Amino acid sequence: MTSHPRRITRALLSVSDKAGLIEFATQLAGYGVDLVSTGGTARALKDAGLRVADVSELTGFPEMMDGRVKTLHPKVHGGLLAIRHEQEHVAAMEKHGIKPIDLLVVNLYPFEATVAKGAAYDDCIENIDIGGPAMIRAAAKNHHDVTVVVEPEDYAKVLAELAEHAGMTSLELRKALAAKAYARTAAYDAAISNWFADTLKTDAPDYRAIGGRLIQSLRYGENPHQSAAFYRTPEARAGVSTARQVQGKELSYNNINDTDAAYECVAEFDPRRTAACVIVKHANPCGVAEGASLLDAYRRALECDATSAFGGIVALNRTLDAEAAKAITEIFTEVIIAPDASEEAIAIVAAKKNLRLLLAGGLADPRAKGLTAKTVAGGLLVQSRDNAVVDDMALKTVTKRAPTAAELNDLRFAFRVAKHVKSNTIVYARNLATVGIGAGQMSRIDSARIAARKAEDAAREMKLSAPLTKGSVVASDAFFPFADGLLVAIEAGATAVIQPGGSMRDQEVIDAADTHGIAMVFTGTRHFRH
């Protein structure tokens, strides 16, 4: 026998999402459960031929104020909160004519969806559910006696228990559903509070909550001894969280992290202007290129660091076509992500059964506002997304020589990439492709050296007479604190530099550039990434 079984004799149903409602309610009625409902839910049940009492019959009060007040009543909350074995509670119910409610089925007004579609302020306010969360919290608190369901996906679980236990549910199920109920209302309130903070342009509200819906439990986290799960937030941003996995193994924690890094980077490249490809390894780009086609962009990105690209993530800014798919599948790749894919391309990728193919349905807007969060010991760091785009920056030439038009195009390209490389960052680029990337070093000069050395390695592999840094441009995510890092880039063959500027030694760096005939532009915007 199940532990602490509770028979369901009366259910209150009030849902905005009516998927599966009629079938669920019909089966409840088959167990002799009395149905009580509200508004549109009651109409749907009656239209299906089910016998249902309106909540106003229970409370003795009509729905009022455009439906804002209908369930906030002692005969509802008393029925949910009464402890069935407490004589004082039982006596109060009898005295005031309160009937027990054993099952609450509520899903909330679609506030998140209303905000996501860009609704007006008043519409968003009207989609803030009040009675629903109040009933959910009451039922969840009294889970020893009451079963609470907050989404249609759990209807089957309840029906399975009713079938197994002759119309009763177990305490184990009620506890699990109660925990889920509190998590749902917490995520709902988080969405509301974050919307208010955004609407009021409050960067640092006194309380900050972040909520999400489980997408999948993961085999493990960054390492096998760590547990992990993947959640979707209310933010409507195309990427790994919106993607449809067409094929391949289950995504891992590191796959998701790396794929997000790759797709956020490739979203910087407008597909109407150019095809683009980003290859990522351990959350850092190891090759980025524009091209006349996706195939061209992929091959040029791969040339930057083919060694690191092995087992990497490939992100594309246009619909994956057959030519690109064939080339990408020639080496071991963990994930391909693109806005879409042709049927021919999908068939080509299918030959590699473990290769994960994700179709995101669109590209993220690099200029869109949003929040990012990072945990620290006992705290949460929250900041606005880095939505600065180099095309919007007023570049200031600070050297005697101004960059040529070709150099300027490469400088913008390199700075676009540098935004997505871990600091300290140095990116060499030539002809709209990276030719050397130095990432995540404690000193900028080391990043410059590593990027140059990688270019030398690539030149040897391609049997070139000189590394492609000769005649390249260089981007730095932050200012050069000394001229030494710049001198390394000049020695590697760079002819122009883009950096934020802002160092106390800017003039020293500018003088070094002038001495070597190098063009340098300041962006005034830093792109630290940690």
Side-chain angles (χ1 to χ4, degrees), residues 308-393:
S308 296
F310 185 83
I313 312 295
V314 175
L316 307 165
N317 72 336
R318 289 180 176 173
T319 297
L320 175 65
D321 56 38
E323 282 189 333
K326 185 176 179 181
I328 294 168
T329 55
E330 287 174 355
I331 70 167
F332 172 53
T333 301
E334 288 276 6
V335 179
I336 301 172
I337 184 169
D340 204 349
S342 70
E343 290 301 321
E344 190 178 358
I346 291 172
I348 291 169
V349 175
K352 303 287 185 180
K353 65 178 183 178
N354 290 330
L355 172 55
R356 305 157 179 91
L357 175 60
L358 304 181
L359 304 181
L363 286 170
D365 178 0
R367 294 178 175 84
K369 296 188 300 180
L371 296 176
T372 65
K374 180 179 181 180
T375 59
V376 297
L380 191 67
L381 278 172
V382 180
Q383 65 175 347
S384 60
R385 179 182 289 111
D386 183 357
N387 63 349
V389 175
V390 66
D391 296 328
D392 303 332
M393 298 175 192

Side-chain angles (χ1 to χ4, degrees), residues 249-269:
K249 295 192 297 185
E250 180 182 296
L251 289 164
S252 70
Y253 178 99
N254 292 325
N255 290 153
I256 292 167
N257 189 53
D258 290 354
T259 302
D260 178 68
Y263 208 60
E264 283 288 306
C265 184
V266 86
E268 298 278 347
F269 299 89

Side-chain angles (χ1 to χ4, degrees), residues 84-96:
R84 310 303 197 251
H85 63 270
E86 285 284 348
Q87 290 305 309
E88 184 180 340
H89 288 206
V90 173
M93 292 174 73
E94 291 176 351
K95 179 179 179 180
H96 298 287

Side-chain angles (χ1 to χ4, degrees), residues 130-428:
I130 302 301
M135 289 191 293
I136 288 171
R137 290 174 61 83
K141 178 174 181 176
N142 200 27
H143 62 268
H144 194 276
D145 293 314
V146 180
T147 305
V148 56
V149 178
V150 295
E151 60 181 5
E153 286 80 356
D154 290 321
Y155 292 168
K157 293 178 184 177
V158 174
L159 292 175
E161 287 230 344
L162 295 180
E164 183 179 355
H165 305 304
M168 295 183 285
T169 60
S170 67
L171 180 59
E172 290 79 10
L173 176 65
R174 296 195 301 274
K175 279 184 177 179
L177 292 175
K180 183 174 187 174
Y182 280 120
R184 175 64 187 115
T185 56
Y188 192 75
D189 285 341
I192 295 168
S193 65
N194 285 323
W195 172 77
F196 263 114
D198 184 58
T199 300
L200 298 173
K201 299 184 178 355
T202 304
D203 293 332
D206 289 343
Y207 292 90
R208 175 72 79 180
I210 296 174
R213 177 67 171 87
L214 180 69
I215 296 175
Q216 68 182 92
S217 296
L218 303 173
R219 286 171 292 166
Y220 52 81
E222 211 161 0
N223 299 292
H225 64 278
Q226 295 172 269
S227 60
F230 184 30
Y231 292 85
R232 179 182 293 109
T233 66
E235 183 183 29
R237 188 172 180 82
V240 66
S241 69
T242 67
R244 173 174 68 93
Q245 183 168 350
V246 177
Q247 69 151 67
K249 295 192 297 185
E250 180 182 296
L251 289 164
S252 70
Y253 178 99
N254 292 325
N255 290 153
I256 292 167
N257 189 53
D258 290 354
T259 302
D260 178 68
Y263 208 60
E264 283 288 306
C265 184
V266 86
E268 298 278 347
F269 299 89
D270 188 341
R272 296 168 297 182
R273 181 180 63 82
T274 183
C277 174
V278 174
I279 306 173
V280 158
K281 192 72 169 289
H282 292 297
N284 274 308
C286 58
V288 182
E290 297 183 12
S293 65
L294 290 180
L295 174 62
D296 182 38
Y298 171 71
R299 285 178 172 166
R300 300 180 74 222
L302 185 63
E303 287 176 351
C304 180
D305 188 354
T307 299
S308 296
F310 185 83
I313 312 295
V314 175
L316 307 165
N317 72 336
R318 289 180 176 173
T319 297
L320 175 65
D321 56 38
E323 282 189 333
K326 185 176 179 181
I328 294 168
T329 55
E330 287 174 355
I331 70 167
F332 172 53
T333 301
E334 288 276 6
V335 179
I336 301 172
I337 184 169
D340 204 349
S342 70
E343 290 301 321
E344 190 178 358
I346 291 172
I348 291 169
V349 175
K352 303 287 185 180
K353 65 178 183 178
N354 290 330
L355 172 55
R356 305 157 179 91
L357 175 60
L358 304 181
L359 304 181
L363 286 170
D365 178 0
R367 294 178 175 84
K369 296 188 300 180
L371 296 176
T372 65
K374 180 179 181 180
T375 59
V376 297
L380 191 67
L381 278 172
V382 180
Q383 65 175 347
S384 60
R385 179 182 289 111
D386 183 357
N387 63 349
V389 175
V390 66
D391 296 328
D392 303 332
M393 298 175 192
L395 305 185
K396 179 183 178 182
T397 300
V398 295
T399 48
K400 295 175 181 176
R401 183 174 81 80
T404 65
E407 286 174 331
L408 195 56
N409 282 339
D410 277 344
L411 288 169
R412 289 195 178 98
F413 170 88
F415 203 64
R416 205 184 308 278
V417 175
K419 173 181 173 180
H420 294 272
V421 182
K422 297 294 177 67
S423 301
N424 286 307
T425 301
I426 292 292
V427 175
Y428 294 95

